[in-house]
Amino acid sequence: MPVNRSPTLKKDSPLREEGEGGLRVSDLVAMTHLGIEVLAGAGGLEHRIEWAHVSELEDPGPWLERGEMLIVNGFGVPSAGFEQARYVERLAEHGVVALGVGGRTPPVRTEMLEAAEKADLPILRIPKETPFVAISHLVANAGQRSAQRRLVRHLQILETLRLRDGIRAGTRTRFAEMEDASGYRLALVSGAGYPVLAEWPWVPPDLDIDALNEGGGDRVIIDGGYALPIPVGHRIAAFLIAIEQEGVEPAGLSALQHIATVAALEVLDEYRQHEAYRRHGAEALAELMTGNLTAEGAAVRLEQEDLRRDDPLVLAALRGTTGTIDDDDLHRRLRDRGIKHLILRQDELYVLHIADQTHALEAVVQDLDIMVGISSVIANRGQLDLARREALWSLACAGRAPGQRVIRFGSDDGFARWFPADLDALESIAKATLGELIAYDADQHTDLVATLTAYFRNQRKVRQTAAELFVHENTLSYRLK
């Protein structure tokens, strides 16, 4: 099932207070020899400091892991009040626990102080006499035990990578071990918001997958944790979602980078399996569409591709309105939504799938510039040539009405439901109706059938038809007579 699309991006999660070792912000303030003054955000003085980091970037957040005290001398701090407020908000979003400002910082505006109070982010004035490195040494020495715990966690995560192809159990066990080692609840979701791995199907509720896709390939802070993109080739194949577990100290972003490496290998394996499945499916569909299999033989062949005998199947013919369809992209989009299908490119692109999943195919089409014609439910699986004609007929009707990009044979294509499905019967009707006209064109080298086609296509409007055919209206009237 797809995830919900509630807006949850860029919300900060509660900072962890558990764990041994490490300074609190209040401990630094209490060291009178440092001369630190609290300007705002006293509600966050009990936060623990994992590390002290000096940066003069305008937005240092992407280079932080959460839990840091940021120390600046003012070069990256904006001067306008509303910009200072947004600066503080971004730091809070990235989990900064305190902001230390030096003597060259621009005047701190009221808006900045109010933003710090709202976010419980202490702003600390550091006097010129106190070197930044002294604060860094204090934090590093106090956090030695915490750093040791993180190192052990990293080694545990790397062990799952080392033994990934060894004697350990499968995907479920590996991800469970990484959850225990990291302190995060983990998910691996596609760009459509669906689980990528069948053995690890959990997807967090209320995840805004659209916002992740708009992240430009960068990691994103979400409510309670992180989302890290997993690239395969030149595209983002999945997102690693990491949500902090209640009551457990999280191992931090560097640990998640190791987990992302393991996840990328899992995704790559999944891709290889699906590509093999796709190739086999294309071969099966090509064989079925030749019409050389009996109904029983076709049913057996489809069962080999995980399409059961009682699955009501339809065939869809697809055409791009402005260019060639990227069938690799379409295949991945259908796979992400859990649509069992076979896909084959001939003159058109064909997709054989379960009739009940047509609504999901339509959802994919809405994101792409594609026209679709869908056959009726296939009665005889050994006669896919009939389904192919129905799909092509419907495809020819797609797009005639504004916004009508998907046409189902016999329900959306007007009078097509009254035509016999048998090809011989259709040929008899065509010969009885147009036989003499076709023979006349062949004998006299005229284009009366083409003229009649244009006439009906233009709703029997003489002027419009004559313009299309580049003939005079009197000439057109003569031809019609």
Side-chain angles (χ1 to χ4, degrees):
M1 295 295 292
V3 299
N4 297 326
R5 298 178 179 269
S6 308
T8 60
L9 190 68
K10 294 185 178 178
K11 289 184 181 178
D12 190 25
S13 64
L15 288 162
R16 301 296 182 187
E17 301 293 341
E18 300 85 355
E20 301 177 1
L23 287 175
R24 298 178 187 270
V25 180
S26 58
D27 295 332
L28 281 180
V29 175
M31 297 178 184
T32 55
H33 69 283
L34 296 177
I36 294 176
E37 176 189 2
V38 179
L39 301 183
L45 289 177
E46 296 309 303
H47 290 160
R48 292 190 180 276
I49 305 172
E50 296 288 344
W51 193 252
H53 184 70
V54 179
S55 173
E56 300 295 347
L57 296 173
E58 293 181 1
D59 183 14
W63 285 267
L64 302 176
E65 288 194 8
R66 305 178 78 86
E68 293 96 343
M69 173 181 176
L70 181 68
I71 304 175
V72 299
N73 210 14
F75 297 107
V77 179
S79 57
F82 75 93
E83 291 179 345
Q84 287 186 353
R86 183 60 191 132
Y87 177 79
V88 169
E89 290 168 357
R90 286 198 303 269
L91 296 181
E93 288 168 1
H94 286 278
V96 171
V97 297
L99 173 64
V101 296
R104 296 188 179 183
T105 304
V108 176
R109 307 296 183 184
T110 301
E111 292 90 340
M112 186 175 186
L113 299 176
E114 291 175 347
E117 290 289 341
K118 185 177 180 180
D120 287 336
L121 175 61
I123 297 180
L124 311 177
R125 174 77 73 184
I126 302 174
K128 295 180 180 179
E129 296 78 17
T130 301
F132 291 172
V133 69
I135 297 175
S136 297
H137 283 164
L138 283 170
V139 172
N141 291 334
Q144 184 176 8
R145 185 176 298 180
S146 176
Q148 290 173 342
R149 290 199 306 272
R150 286 195 174 199
L151 177 59
V152 171
R153 288 183 172 192
H154 290 192
L155 292 175
Q156 290 173 333
I157 293 168
L158 291 173
E159 182 73 1
T160 67
L161 176 60
R162 186 178 72 84
L163 297 176
R164 178 177 173 271
D165 296 319
I167 61 175
R168 292 285 182 93
T171 299
R172 181 180 294 275
T173 299
R174 280 194 295 275
F175 271 80
E177 290 175 352
M178 290 189 294
E179 283 192 338
D180 291 341
S182 68
Y184 292 96
R185 185 77 169 94
L186 302 174
L188 201 60
V189 302
S190 70
Y194 293 81
V196 172
L197 305 176
E199 292 186 51
W200 195 256
W202 182 71
V203 175
D206 302 325
L207 180 67
D208 190 346
I209 196 66
D210 290 333
L212 300 189
N213 285 312
E214 294 168 2
D218 297 324
R219 78 169 186 263
V220 176
I221 292 179
I222 59 175
D223 189 9
Y226 295 99
L228 282 72
I230 305 295
V232 172
H234 299 292
R235 68 185 297 269
I236 302 301
F239 292 96
L240 174 66
I241 310 299
I243 306 296
E244 294 179 13
Q245 299 188 63
E246 187 173 356
V248 181
E249 182 183 5
L253 186 59
S254 56
L256 291 179
Q257 298 287 2
H258 296 316
I259 293 175
T261 300
V262 181
L265 294 174
E266 297 283 349
V267 172
L268 189 58
D269 278 353
E270 191 77 6
Y271 261 56
R272 289 169 178 164
Q273 294 173 15
H274 277 282
E275 286 306 310
Y277 169 80
R278 180 193 166 185
R279 288 194 300 272
H280 296 157
E283 293 170 0
L285 186 52
E287 186 178 0
L288 290 164
M289 290 179 67
T290 62
N292 295 330
L293 294 178
T294 64
E296 176 63 21
V300 172
R301 189 70 178 87
L302 286 168
E303 283 183 331
Q304 295 172 356
E305 304 301 328
D306 200 27
L307 291 171
R308 301 170 301 180
R309 292 172 183 262
D310 56 346
D311 287 335
L313 301 180
V314 293
L315 184 68
L318 297 84
R319 182 182 66 241
T321 57
T322 59
T324 303
I325 300 173
D326 184 344
D327 40 321
D328 287 333
D329 179 54
L330 179 65
H331 165 68
R332 285 191 289 263
R333 288 172 182 260
L334 294 175
R335 184 202 65 191
D336 286 350
R337 287 165 171 78
I339 303 176
K340 292 191 293 185
H341 67 282
L342 309 182
I343 187 169
L344 173 67
R345 178 175 291 284
Q346 291 184 338
D347 293 334
E348 277 77 27
L349 189 65
Y350 294 98
V351 177
L352 182 71
H353 64 282
I354 300 173
D356 295 342
Q357 295 179 329
T358 294
H359 66 284
L361 175 63
E362 293 184 25
V364 172
V365 169
Q366 297 308 315
D367 297 332
L368 303 171
D369 200 8
I370 292 176
M371 299 294 180
V372 183
I374 301 174
S375 75
S376 58
V377 174
I378 299 169
N380 185 340
R381 302 192 175 199
Q383 295 183 356
L384 258 65
D385 55 332
L386 173 58
R388 179 176 178 272
R389 291 198 301 273
E390 292 179 353
L392 290 175
W393 176 279
S394 300
L395 180 61
C397 299
R400 292 184 179 178
Q404 195 172 22
R405 298 165 60 183
V406 179
I407 298 293
R408 297 175 180 82
F409 184 83
S411 59
D412 300 326
D413 53 1
F415 57 87
R417 73 190 72 176
W418 303 109
F419 275 81
D422 182 73
L423 183 59
D424 293 336
L426 283 171
E427 289 179 348
S428 297
I429 292 174
K431 185 177 292 184
T433 307
L434 298 172
E436 292 186 21
L437 201 59
I438 293 171
Y440 184 87
D441 273 350
D443 292 339
Q444 304 298 323
H445 304 290
T446 54
D447 294 311
L448 296 184
V449 174
T451 299
L452 192 61
T453 301
Y455 180 61
F456 284 118
R457 183 168 56 243
N458 288 290
Q459 308 296 318
R460 296 182 293 179
K461 297 176 181 178
V462 173
R463 178 174 297 179
Q464 190 170 322
T465 304
E468 179 182 326
L469 297 174
F470 299 103
V471 299
H472 194 276
E473 293 179 23
N474 291 339
T475 301
L476 175 60
S477 297
Y478 175 78
R479 288 185 183 180
L480 292 174
K481 290 179 182 180

